[in-house]
Amino acid sequence: MEARLNLMTSPAAAKAMKHIIAAHKALADSTLPAATRELVMLRASQINGCAGCIDMHTKEAAAAGETSLRLNLVAAWREATVFTDAERAALELAEQGTRIADAAGGVPDEVWANAAKHYDEDQLAALVAQIAIINAFNRGNVITQQPAGDYQVGQLH
């Protein structure tokens, strides 16, 4: 499979993508746990059907020590017993933030309140930014049909 378009070869798109990549990298300095960030990015990517991001974040999380059991259960996190209450709140916020078109009122207050019980304001801000950024990556990759399977850990970090 070949991508429809390489966004990095277009001067305007490449400039925009570099800013999105920089924003993503900046979140590594946040106090939001790295495992939570990877789980959230993986879940949003699953929802959006972004093969490239699923490939990347599964491999990055595994290289950082995430277990295959937890990675395999992200799609079914509600029924899985392997996630903390804080991770579950982050995954719910990621789902609701990714599926905003499905809910006329946006992210429900209860979902936000649950996340706020587990994360401080700085971590919530990082979580919101991470959800927005991964959705931007997902949309670009899905539109251009970026292939998956060849990602190497650290390739884009």
Side-chain angles (χ1 to χ4, degrees), residues 26-76:
L27 293 174
D29 295 333
S30 77
T31 59
L32 185 65
T36 301
R37 286 187 294 108
E38 289 295 339
L39 294 172
V40 160
M41 289 186 286
L42 178 56
R43 185 64 190 127
S45 300
Q46 290 171 336
I47 292 166
N48 289 324
C50 182
C53 289
I54 293 169
D55 183 28
M56 176 183 183
H57 295 293
T58 300
K59 290 174 180 173
E60 289 291 345
E66 192 58 73
T67 67
S68 59
L69 175 65
R70 284 172 39 100
L71 290 173
N72 289 330
L73 288 173
V74 168

Side-chain angles (χ1 to χ4, degrees), residues 91-133:
L91 288 164
E92 176 69 9
L93 186 62
E95 283 193 5
Q96 294 294 325
T98 298
R99 293 183 164 140
I100 54 176
D102 297 341
V107 175
D109 290 339
E110 339 39 275
V111 171
W112 181 261
N114 190 35
K117 286 191 312 193
H118 299 283
Y119 300 101
D120 64 28
E121 192 169 300
D122 184 57
Q123 291 170 321
L124 281 170
L127 189 54
V128 169
Q130 190 69 80
I131 294 165
I133 291 166

